[in-house]
Amino acid sequence: MSQTVEMTAELPGTFYTRESPGSEPYVSVGATVSVGDTVGLIEVMKMFNPVVSTVAGTVVEVCVEAEDSVDVGDVLLRVEVS
Amino acid sequence: MADISRLLVISRGEIAVRTIRAATELGITTVAAYSSADQDSLAVTLADESVNIGGAHAKKSYLNHEAILTAARETEADGIHPGYGFLSESADFARKVEEAGVTWVGPSADTISRMGDKATAIKTAEAAGVRVVPGSGGLVTDIASARIAADQIGYPMMIKATAGGGGRGIRIARDEAELVEGFAAATQEAAASFGDGGVYLERLVDSARHIEVQVLGDGTRAVHFYERDCSLQRRRQKVWEEAPAEILPASVRSAMCADAVDLAESVRYCGAGTVEFLYDPATEEYFFIEMNTRIQVEHPITEEVCGVDLIRGMLLVAQGHPLPYRQEEIAIRGHAIEVRINSEDPEADFRPAPGTIESLRWPAGPGVRIDTMAYEGYTIPPFYDSLIGKLIVWAESRELALARLRRALAETELTGPATTLPFVARLLDQDEVIANEFHTTWIENWLEEEAR
């Protein structure tokens, strides 16, 4: 049986789905992620902090829009653990 | 240029508060433009009115031209004060404000674009007779021409790869032997790393001081308010500023200030601005580096030693009034120091530390000024820069100002997020700081040595 894990923001700030406006998104729905993969960035006071996956699996939902503000505990994405 | 009766304040944080205070004292109705993350800000509380200009992310609010121009229309603002940061040095936005028939409190769009681009600013400075960092100008292609250029520039100098940048592709030559050796190596290295062997030469200003002159112009005449020493920096961010720069010989001070006024008048400067110089204490030479066409964070120390109100001055000249101060009336009295209080954790490599201020006690008493947006219960949002306040002290001498700063820091109590207050207190204990013997990379060297 598969299990879905929520990845939440550990910092408050602005969420980014890609490294720079010209680059590909780190992940999108259907992508497979491994433990340690960067799945997004959170900008806190002009410092960019990577959001790192703690699980391996498949992204089933990206819950926030790029450049949305997020608070600690907000769900960023849902991953179906493989 | 017309009278301002309703001023839209489009900055945030402490400078928005500072601007609202000056405008209120002039009898101007203030409207605070705020993002959704700033609805509980002190600026919104203190302003007569407020208007939401968009989401937390600055691109959606404080950098959003259309949202701000719409807010100006809807609130019937006839003036816009940009503070510092965000759109304060955007020629494009200043032009749109002018075209909307709203008074822009700052230099014209043309002046901003002329002084905002570094290469153009350097040319303008040279044309006004202000010395810039000596260099070869263009590429140097062989050692013979490098030698000729070097005679003009003087040692030590940098051999810089034209395709380099961000500190890469730079070699230092302290004499002719090093130039000969370094030139060949630098050309080869540049070709190998950047695919372009072009190099140029520029004087290295070692252990420099960052000294800047405050000016105010009315479009015809300009006056200066002497200088500030902003050499205590961490990663090129100013940490601690003083006025005056006590290390400057009187003759250098008057030449530097006269240069700043000449430069401002040569571009018919209207508004407050800062002319920045690198100063080499060993040779007593100074070189223009850039001009900031806005009010600066550290303006209060100038206000304290000169007894003036620079934001009021900006508001007056923007409305077409002549300069409110005559040069011969402007004098320095005593010494002022400003320290920046950032919500960063000095124990964790200055990591940003947004959060809620649980308790707060500011210092008070003689010679103490606090410019801040912080209050008890205020939640510092994570979306903007980390400056939450500035502690400014004034006293009759530098020595007394240091003692007053020590006293004021001891009175200050802030609980909640980590701040740079303990870091500032440690700086105050360093012999070099007390003796006024530091330069622009001194803090980094000190922190590196401590970490060892």
Side-chain angles (χ1 to χ4, degrees):
Chain A
M1 217 186 93
S2 67
Q3 184 204 351
T4 304
V5 171
E6 292 180 341
M7 291 192 51
T8 56
E10 288 178 10
L11 294 163
T14 305
F15 182 72
Y16 292 85
T17 55
R18 53 189 86 210
E19 189 175 9
S20 64
S23 50
E24 289 293 307
Y26 288 109
V27 292
S28 41
V29 172
T32 47
V33 292
S34 311
V35 176
D37 281 1
T38 298
V39 296
L41 297 172
I42 295 178
E43 180 193 3
V44 189
M45 291 174 163
K46 298 181 178 174
M47 267 178 73
F48 290 88
N49 304 274
V51 180
V52 174
S53 181
T54 50
V55 294
T58 307
V59 177
V60 292
E61 189 185 353
V62 180
C63 310
V64 286
E65 297 274 319
E67 295 182 17
D68 262 3
S69 56
V70 293
D71 215 332
V72 175
D74 284 0
V75 178
L76 304 174
L77 29 129
R78 292 195 168 83
V79 178
E80 199 173 271
V81 177
S82 49
Chain B
M1 285 188 202
D3 281 358
I4 297 173
S5 60
R6 294 172 60 78
L7 181 73
L8 187 67
V9 177
I10 63 165
S11 57
R12 64 172 302 282
E14 67 87 20
I15 195 62
V17 171
R18 172 74 187 89
T19 307
I20 289 163
R21 285 178 171 149
T24 303
E25 287 172 16
L26 280 168
I28 297 171
T29 301
T30 55
V31 185
Y34 67 95
S35 79
S36 301
D38 277 337
Q39 55 200 13
D40 298 325
S41 72
L42 188 57
V44 169
T45 306
L46 295 183
D48 297 300
E49 298 169 28
S50 59
V51 56
N52 185 311
I53 50 166
H57 196 277
K59 273 208 293 208
K60 299 171 185 167
S61 47
Y62 298 109
L63 292 172
N64 185 337
H65 296 195
E66 287 320 306
I68 295 170
L69 291 170
T70 303
R73 238 181 351 261
E74 284 173 358
T75 60
E76 296 178 348
D78 49 13
I80 286 185
H81 195 301
Y84 52 67
F86 300 122
L87 295 173
S88 60
E89 289 179 285
S90 166
D92 186 31
F93 183 69
R95 188 166 291 118
K96 288 180 189 170
V97 171
E98 288 164 9
E99 282 166 7
V102 175
T103 299
W104 170 254
V105 184
S108 69
D110 285 344
T111 310
I112 297 175
S113 49
R114 194 157 166 198
M115 299 313 289
D117 173 66
K118 224 169 162 173
T120 317
I122 284 172
K123 284 201 187 87
T124 310
E126 280 184 304
V130 181
R131 200 166 174 212
V132 302
V133 182
S136 58
L139 295 182
V140 177
T141 49
D142 56 77
I143 188 63
S145 45
R147 276 203 176 103
I148 295 166
D151 284 343
Q152 303 288 319
I153 296 165
Y155 293 94
M157 71 181 67
M158 293 180 282
I159 310 165
K160 290 172 120 176
T162 189
R168 291 182 355 138
I170 296 177
R171 281 187 158 247
I172 293 167
R174 295 191 180 272
D175 53 40
E176 196 174 330
E178 286 187 17
L179 175 68
V180 173
E181 191 194 319
F183 183 80
T187 313
Q188 275 174 11
E189 268 174 23
S193 348
F194 310 114
D196 177 350
V199 297
Y200 62 99
L201 306 178
E202 191 179 285
R203 169 84 74 82
L204 169 68
V205 188
D206 236 350
S207 302
R209 290 274 188 152
H210 174 113
I211 296 185
E212 54 185 38
V213 176
Q214 176 71 54
V215 295
L216 181 70
D218 64 7
T220 311
R221 302 291 309 276
V223 290
H224 70 80
F225 299 85
Y226 296 96
E227 80 288 349
R228 298 184 283 262
D229 186 333
C230 311
S231 304
L232 282 174
Q233 308 182 356
R234 186 184 154 270
R235 294 192 181 159
R236 311 190 72 158
Q237 298 292 309
K238 294 165 188 166
V239 168
W240 164 312
E241 301 102 342
E242 303 191 23
E246 232 182 31
I247 55 149
L248 277 192
S251 60
V252 176
R253 170 175 298 122
S254 52
M256 193 186 267
C257 292
D259 276 355
V261 169
D262 286 349
L263 179 57
E265 288 186 346
S266 81
V267 296
R268 300 182 164 276
Y269 199 85
C270 186
T274 302
V275 183
E276 298 193 333
F277 297 97
L278 273 184
Y279 174 65
D280 184 343
T283 62
E284 296 188 1
E285 290 173 295
Y286 62 88
F287 309 103
F288 169 83
I289 45 173
E290 63 178 304
M291 181 168 190
N292 291 318
T293 54
R294 54 170 165 82
I295 193 69
Q296 278 188 286
V297 174
E298 59 273 23
H299 75 276
I301 51 174
T302 297
E303 295 186 323
E304 294 306 311
V305 292
C306 292
V308 297
D309 184 334
L310 293 168
I311 309 281
R312 177 172 161 275
M314 290 178 87
L315 287 165
L316 290 175
V317 297
Q319 294 176 78
H321 295 267
L323 286 170
Y325 305 106
R326 289 214 309 263
Q327 189 67 66
E328 58 270 26
E329 295 168 347
I330 303 166
I332 302 175
R333 193 173 150 262
H335 196 89
I337 304 174
E338 170 184 285
V339 294
R340 299 191 185 195
I341 305 164
N342 296 334
S343 50
E344 294 170 9
D345 187 354
E347 296 295 309
D349 198 28
F350 296 86
R351 188 175 58 202
T356 302
I357 297 172
E358 285 153 20
S359 70
L360 178 59
R361 185 183 68 204
W362 286 120
V368 174
R369 166 175 170 181
I370 305 290
D371 277 24
T372 184
M373 81 287 220
Y375 56 85
E376 235 168 60
Y378 175 59
T379 299
I380 303 156
F383 310 107
Y384 315 107
D385 77 43
S386 58
L387 182 73
I388 55 171
K390 307 176 310 203
L391 164 58
I392 303 114
V393 294
W394 176 90
E396 290 151 60
S397 67
R398 184 171 190 270
E399 194 186 352
L400 292 171
L402 289 169
R404 184 159 277 167
L405 179 58
R406 187 181 305 277
R407 185 269 289 173
L409 281 170
E411 283 181 25
T412 309
E413 252 181 45
L414 190 153
T415 62
T419 73
T420 50
L421 277 165
F423 176 69
V424 169
R426 281 180 55 217
L427 264 181
L428 189 47
D429 282 335
Q430 304 308 307
D431 292 341
E432 290 91 336
V433 173
I434 294 167
N436 199 8
E437 286 168 359
F438 43 76
H439 51 80
T440 51
T441 52
W442 182 85
I443 286 186
E444 275 130 342
N445 298 347
W446 169 56
L447 289 175
E448 266 171 40
E449 265 171 44
E450 281 219 318
R452 240 176 251 148

